[in-house]
Amino acid sequence: MKWVYILAGIALFIKMLFMPDIASHLGDIPKVISDMSITEKVVNESGVVNAVSGIIFRNRLYDTIFEVIVFTIAILGCNFLLANENPSCTMYQFKDQSSIILARLGATIAALVGIELAIRGHLSPGGGFAAGVAGGTAIGLIAITSSYQWMQDIYQRYHAAIWEKVSVLVFIVLSVITLSGLELPHGELGKLFSGGILPILNIIVAVKVALGSWAVVLIFIRYRGLL
């Protein structure tokens, strides 16, 4: 089998050696691209200052839908693969007060950063995925300083699992509507209420990733004692 990879690598190297020079085709680029940078074009078309958010939630929204679905499948996979294991008898957590205080302070900062990125991700660097990761970090820091039962009770009391699934469905529905060509008014560029539906998709992704991270944290604490 290794010879297959070696031959494939040699074939790819030979192809690169004889690949035609694309510099001669640069004259075929439309004049609009030469007059306006790609970043400016994305900003103008999406109505958001953060061109990355414009690309993720508009230009390549089709890919983003499946990225969200893949994350959901990963959560289901964790639950499925660990379902046959016995729950851990030992929970590894911080015990000293100073570590607990620092971890909870870090959780507070991460949560605030996550909220900021979720609400203003279309105006500044960051976005829904980064906001969800920040929220998941906050949940992880709380998990290693609090009891598993308490976190599980909070998770069930507020129906976090249901909201996580609802957020996925809402994101898919709104994305399909957007891909069909229907868009909300962009508003004034650079303002909080701008970008049409992009800020809404940004917030939904942040909620979905944070709640999904919460579910994964609980699963690994239950079966492994810690992440």
Side-chain angles (χ1 to χ4, degrees):
M1 181 62 68
K2 64 180 181 180
W3 292 107
V4 175
Y5 296 112
I6 294 175
L7 292 175
I10 294 174
L12 178 62
F13 179 71
I14 294 175
K15 173 63 177 176
M16 292 175 63
L17 288 178
F18 294 98
M19 183 177 295
D21 185 11
I22 63 172
S24 59
H25 300 287
L26 291 179
D28 299 333
I29 299 178
K31 187 176 185 299
V32 66
I33 300 298
S34 61
D35 293 340
M36 180 186 300
S37 70
I38 296 178
T39 302
E40 292 174 339
K41 185 175 177 61
V42 171
V43 169
N44 290 332
E45 291 181 350
S46 61
V48 297
V49 178
N50 185 357
V52 176
S53 294
I55 293 174
I56 292 176
F57 295 115
R58 189 179 186 277
N59 295 64
R60 54 179 294 271
L61 180 57
Y62 185 80
D63 295 337
T64 306
I65 294 175
F66 288 95
E67 289 176 3
V68 173
I69 295 175
V70 165
F71 186 79
T72 303
I73 295 174
I75 298 171
L76 296 174
C78 291
N79 198 10
F80 176 77
L81 292 175
L82 295 177
N84 293 328
E85 294 192 12
N86 295 323
S88 176
C89 298
T90 305
M91 301 296 176
Y92 300 94
Q93 296 177 317
F94 288 157
K95 299 298 182 181
D96 58 298
Q97 195 63 26
S98 58
S99 297
I100 292 175
I101 293 175
L102 289 175
R104 292 182 177 177
L105 175 61
T108 303
I109 296 174
L112 293 175
V113 170
I115 295 173
E116 168 71 11
L117 292 176
I119 297 176
R120 297 173 55 84
H122 60 297
L123 302 178
S124 61
F129 289 100
V133 171
T137 301
I139 293 171
L141 290 172
I142 293 297
I144 59 178
T145 60
S146 306
S147 67
Y148 167 79
Q149 191 58 47
W150 178 79
M151 290 202 65
Q152 182 70 25
D153 291 342
I154 296 295
Y155 185 80
Q156 294 178 349
R157 182 185 307 170
Y158 293 100
H159 308 289
I162 296 177
W163 285 112
E164 189 257 336
K165 295 177 177 62
V166 168
S167 64
V168 176
L169 295 176
V170 172
F171 181 83
I172 294 175
V173 171
L174 293 179
S175 298
V176 171
I177 294 174
T178 303
L179 290 173
S180 66
L182 299 177
E183 293 187 88
L184 294 175
H186 287 174
E188 185 178 352
L189 183 66
K191 298 296 183 180
L192 182 61
F193 296 100
S194 62
I197 201 170
L198 267 65
I200 300 175
L201 296 177
N202 196 60
I203 294 174
I204 293 174
V205 168
V207 172
K208 189 269 173 294
V209 174
L211 294 180
S213 301
W214 193 352
V216 172
V217 167
L218 291 178
I219 291 171
F220 275 91
I221 290 178
R222 179 182 181 188
Y223 292 106
R224 298 294 173 83
L226 191 64
L227 301 180

